[in-house]
Amino acid sequence: MLELKDITKSFGDTHVLNGISLELDNGKIMSILGPSGGGKTTLLNIILGITEPTSGQLIYNGEDLTHVPMEKRGFNIVFQDYALFPNLTAYENITYGLRNNPGISSPEEIKEMISLLGLEEHLNKHIDELSGGQKQRVALARTLVMKPKLLLLDEPLSALDGVIKESIKAKIKQIVEQYDLTTIMVTHDPEEACTMSDKVLIINHGKVAQYDSPENIIEHPASDFVRKFILHQLEVKRNNIYTLFNEGDEAETAANANAELAAAGQED
Ligand SMILES: Nc1ncnc2c1ncn2[C@@H]1O[C@H](COP(=O)(O)OP(=O)(O)O)[C@@H](O)[C@H]1O
Ligand SMILES: [Mg+2]
């Protein structure tokens, strides 16, 4: 189990995180959701170990890791911009971390991961020859062959569009379930958070606005902020889809509902 106890983080006078506490069971997927600039990446970096919290504790399976360096935590991240090595091939990128730790994944396991992510035909390509979706899959494979105890993903789908997004979303879910990986994913998309996760952490102004299952958040939003930030966006999406697939009065009702939601969202 991962436990965060009253984590705070300030950069100079800027208080980015103000007392984040939560527990996440092993093998579960958690999404961190919140407005841009709200401290999502900072929290992920604190869990990874590249940023020290100003105060608070991080405990993993009973062990206090607050001051344990990143490389000793055994966690791994897929960064928002992928951070692949442009001068190496896809295969060299995937196996880069194994150069100093060759025993972590066997050749068969590497092959399996490559095949699971559909990368066989791209292995000898350089990074600039790959599409966004292919780069994302290389970044995922590179992290997964390291067999992280905790998989961290910073907006893994934000640079992708439509069909590719859905296919990578499904792949992440499949791999996470198959390997029983504890996963923490940052996103600013409520639909992504609610459809992919067991738990959703909503951060606003550096505080926990709500931490619960998607179902409970949707049924019992803890505040007006949660209602507006999550439910309105989900409802607008649902209404738009409804309008697309339906004609006539019902579609008009859905479109009107969106106009009302937009107006309500502008109240404060
Ligand atoms: N290394 C840093 N030094 C100073 N301020 C930072 C640093 N990293 C993040 N911040 C500030 O912390 C706030 C939260 O940033 P971030 O965690 O990246 O938000 P999010 O990922 O939710 O968009 C922002 O105001 C950002 O400018
Ligand atoms: Mg971020």
Side-chain angles (χ1 to χ4, degrees):
M1 183 167 74
L2 177 75
E3 296 168 78
L4 303 184
K5 293 190 171 171
D6 209 12
I7 296 276
T8 71
K9 180 67 188 178
S10 304
F11 295 105
D13 290 339
T14 315
H15 305 297
V16 177
L17 298 173
N18 301 307
I20 304 284
S21 297
L22 61 86
E23 294 178 354
L24 180 68
D25 285 330
N26 294 344
K28 300 285 182 199
I29 308 183
M30 166 176 123
S31 282
I32 306 175
L33 187 60
S36 186
K40 303 185 294 296
T41 296
T42 303
L43 184 58
L44 213 59
N45 288 343
I46 287 172
I47 297 169
L48 179 66
I50 52 176
T51 301
E52 277 241 4
T54 304
S55 65
Q57 275 181 304
L58 186 148
I59 297 176
Y60 180 70
N61 289 346
E63 190 186 344
D64 188 341
L65 298 185
T66 316
H67 303 290
V68 171
M70 173 182 69
E71 51 297 349
K72 298 217 169 111
R73 293 188 187 187
F75 303 167
N76 213 327
I77 190 166
V78 178
F79 288 106
Q80 198 161 1
D81 61 0
Y82 314 149
L84 295 168
F85 302 110
N87 51 330
L88 301 181
T89 65
Y91 186 78
E92 287 164 343
N93 266 280
I94 293 168
T95 52
Y96 190 85
L98 296 169
R99 298 206 297 201
N100 295 325
N101 310 278
I104 293 182
S105 277
S106 67
E108 290 73 31
E109 287 170 325
I110 300 170
K111 225 173 146 188
E112 184 187 58
M113 193 55 68
I114 287 168
S115 133
L116 213 53
L117 287 163
L119 286 168
E120 294 98 330
E121 52 203 283
H122 306 298
L123 293 178
N124 293 321
K125 291 185 184 165
H126 276 86
I127 296 310
D128 58 7
E129 296 174 272
L130 301 175
S131 70
Q134 290 159 356
K135 281 183 200 158
Q136 179 57 284
R137 283 182 280 149
V138 170
L140 264 173
R142 180 179 66 172
T143 297
L144 289 167
V145 294
M146 298 308 290
K147 297 194 181 157
K149 288 189 266 184
L150 198 66
L151 172 65
L152 305 170
L153 304 164
D154 197 352
E155 308 226 12
L157 307 163
S158 62
L160 308 173
D161 49 30
V163 179
I164 294 167
K165 193 175 192 154
E166 289 309 316
S167 112
I168 293 190
K169 210 158 130 177
K171 288 227 151 68
I172 292 176
K173 233 180 163 255
Q174 183 196 345
I175 290 170
V176 161
E177 277 163 15
Q178 188 169 331
Y179 292 86
D180 201 24
L181 282 173
T182 310
T183 303
I184 302 179
M185 179 179 95
V186 164
T187 173
H188 60 257
D189 180 344
E191 185 200 351
E192 218 165 273
C194 290
T195 55
M196 289 190 67
S197 332
D198 302 297
K199 285 280 185 79
V200 178
L201 169 68
I202 303 166
I203 300 186
N204 189 29
H205 296 309
K207 292 204 171 98
V208 177
Q210 192 162 4
Y211 178 57
D212 214 328
S213 67
E215 296 77 16
N216 280 343
I217 288 173
I218 288 167
E219 279 169 32
H220 310 287
S223 63
D224 255 14
F225 168 80
V226 173
R227 196 171 297 118
K228 283 184 181 147
F229 189 73
I230 314 291
L231 295 193
H232 281 191
Q233 288 192 58
L234 288 176
E235 280 180 38
V236 165
K237 233 176 197 170
R238 188 181 61 188
N239 290 344
N240 284 344
I241 290 167
Y242 193 85
T243 311
L244 264 181
F245 283 95
N246 294 277
E247 289 172 8
D249 291 350
E250 285 165 335
E252 199 178 323
T253 308
N256 287 340
N258 273 0
E260 275 169 34
L261 284 168
Q266 284 162 4
E267 268 164 17
D268 56 13

